[in-house]
Amino acid sequence: MQIYMPTKIYSENNCVMNHRRELAALGSKAMIVTGKHSSRVNGSLEDVEKALQEENIPFVLFDRIEENPTIETVMEAGELGKKEQVDFVVGIGGGSPMDAAKAIALIIANPTEDERILYEAKEFPALPVAEVPTTAGTGSEVTPYAILTIHARKTKQSISHKIYPRLALIDSQYLKTAGLDTLIDTAVDALAHLLESYLNTNADSYNRMYSEKGLSLFAEIREELMECRRQGEKPVQTLSNQAFDILMQLAATAGMAITHTGTSLPHGLSYAITYEMQVPHGKAVGIFLPGFLGAYENKEEVQSVLERMGFASVEDFTQYLDELLGKVEIPEGLWIEDVKSIMANKAKLKNYPFEMDKETLYAFRR
């Protein structure tokens, strides 16, 4: 058993400004990596810029990270970073900008390498990275993973390098501008991390502490999430301040869980659905969770996670997710190819503790 959690985490209101000196200590010139809109709306970009300015740290802004960032975008940002001679990277946003920030930090730190470095099986240095999450889903602020879209293969895959953020600055105030679907989909992504980590070949009594805590947090918030869905209003009009805090804690705790175990079959199945059907990542993962629990051979462990979430059975859990997420109709041809791809994915199959056959996996689609 082992635990390794090198990211320094602060979670509080006004977090970025409160810890601006530690942010500035990461280097002498920063690249801010974010998307086009949300970080401006929720105030996170303004806070990071102000924090760096007050510490007299110059910075360059790259604000063209798309949802499900591509290798091409990462390389474009990397070239800008090399030209501007930045020496640390700050990712602001959901999983896409935070993942991209890690990959960009790798590219800038290795100026003689091309895009092949991203998936090369050898060690390379990376610039220091700080992350400022504005959604409560991926937990990328505490994980070493950076998942990019690979157009040539019509899928998504984490780069080959583990790049832990040096600093995570978590402020639940940024979450309050999130739309209903974004908030729910990202919360379900965090839930998937917890379940896939607990029911994992690499799980042990130490790292399961993260999943156990996270599942209990989800139990605290699940009815409020459902109320959000039923009312169909902006989350800020439905959720309490405490609920936003719990969601951010849920995401980070789930990130700590998968840091030690990796993900499993639902994540593997989700990538083709996101790429081919443009289904948001959290929703694409969530639709496979009932099948994952239903097929899992150790029923005592399944019952344990259900009880921690506050559900009596897989059927109850399925009904909850069906209402929360809605159903997704996956075309037969795409599903056949998706199952075939996972059955050939040794890494994902390795994380599943039991033998998996094509027929059982095929039944994950409901």
Side-chain angles (χ1 to χ4, degrees), residues 46 87 89 101 157-159 187 197 245 294 325 335 362:
E46 180 181 359
D87 57 7
V89 180
Q157 182 179 340
S158 184
I159 65 175
S197 177
D245 290 341
L325 294 175
W335 185 231
Y362 191 80

Side-chain angles (χ1 to χ4, degrees), residues 196-208 260-261:
E196 292 178 59
S197 177
Y198 192 97
L199 304 175
N200 195 298
T201 304
N202 303 308
D204 59 44
S205 59
Y206 270 30
N207 58 50
R208 274 184 169 170
H260 294 92
T261 62

Side-chain angles (χ1 to χ4, degrees), residues 209-264:
M209 291 189 292
Y210 294 114
S211 294
E212 290 165 354
K213 174 62 176 177
L215 292 169
S216 297
L217 288 169
F218 184 80
E220 292 183 45
I221 200 68
R222 68 182 183 90
E223 289 303 328
E224 286 194 67
L225 288 176
M226 184 60 77
E227 188 63 23
C228 265
R229 171 59 75 202
R230 289 170 177 165
Q231 292 193 19
E233 298 178 347
K234 292 182 179 180
V236 71
Q237 296 174 333
T238 306
L239 297 180
S240 63
N241 287 333
Q242 182 183 18
F244 287 110
D245 290 341
I246 291 172
L247 282 166
M248 282 302 212
Q249 187 179 354
L250 171 73
T253 304
M256 295 175 202
I258 60 167
T259 289
H260 294 92
T261 62
T263 56
S264 186

Side-chain angles (χ1 to χ4, degrees), residues 103-284:
I104 292 164
L106 176 72
I107 296 300
I108 298 172
N110 298 277
T112 63
E113 303 289 337
D114 59 23
E115 66 184 45
R116 290 174 293 183
I117 188 179
L118 294 167
Y119 293 98
E120 193 167 338
K122 60 181 287 189
E123 291 189 12
F124 290 93
L127 298 185
V129 176
E131 303 282 28
V132 181
T134 63
T135 65
T138 69
S140 185
E141 65 271 19
V142 298
T143 75
Y145 310 124
I147 298 174
L148 304 180
T149 295
I150 307 173
H151 284 311
R153 292 172 48 199
K154 297 184 177 182
T155 191
K156 295 163 55 178
Q157 182 179 340
S158 184
I159 65 175
S160 299
H161 313 278
K162 290 189 174 184
I163 302 172
Y164 284 95
R166 300 276 187 91
L167 189 62
L169 300 174
I170 302 172
D171 189 336
S172 66
Q173 300 301 310
Y174 302 143
L175 194 57
K176 292 183 177 181
T177 61
L180 176 62
D181 288 337
T182 296
L183 185 134
I184 288 175
D185 291 346
T186 52
V188 172
D189 186 25
L191 175 62
H193 290 163
L194 296 165
L195 293 172
E196 292 178 59
S197 177
Y198 192 97
L199 304 175
N200 195 298
T201 304
N202 303 308
D204 59 44
S205 59
Y206 270 30
N207 58 50
R208 274 184 169 170
M209 291 189 292
Y210 294 114
S211 294
E212 290 165 354
K213 174 62 176 177
L215 292 169
S216 297
L217 288 169
F218 184 80
E220 292 183 45
I221 200 68
R222 68 182 183 90
E223 289 303 328
E224 286 194 67
L225 288 176
M226 184 60 77
E227 188 63 23
C228 265
R229 171 59 75 202
R230 289 170 177 165
Q231 292 193 19
E233 298 178 347
K234 292 182 179 180
V236 71
Q237 296 174 333
T238 306
L239 297 180
S240 63
N241 287 333
Q242 182 183 18
F244 287 110
D245 290 341
I246 291 172
L247 282 166
M248 282 302 212
Q249 187 179 354
L250 171 73
T253 304
M256 295 175 202
I258 60 167
T259 289
H260 294 92
T261 62
T263 56
S264 186
L265 299 177
H267 266 73
L269 289 166
S270 74
Y271 296 142
I273 308 306
T274 293
Y275 187 92
E276 296 289 352
M277 299 178 63
Q278 290 73 56
V279 176
H281 171 67
K283 184 172 183 175

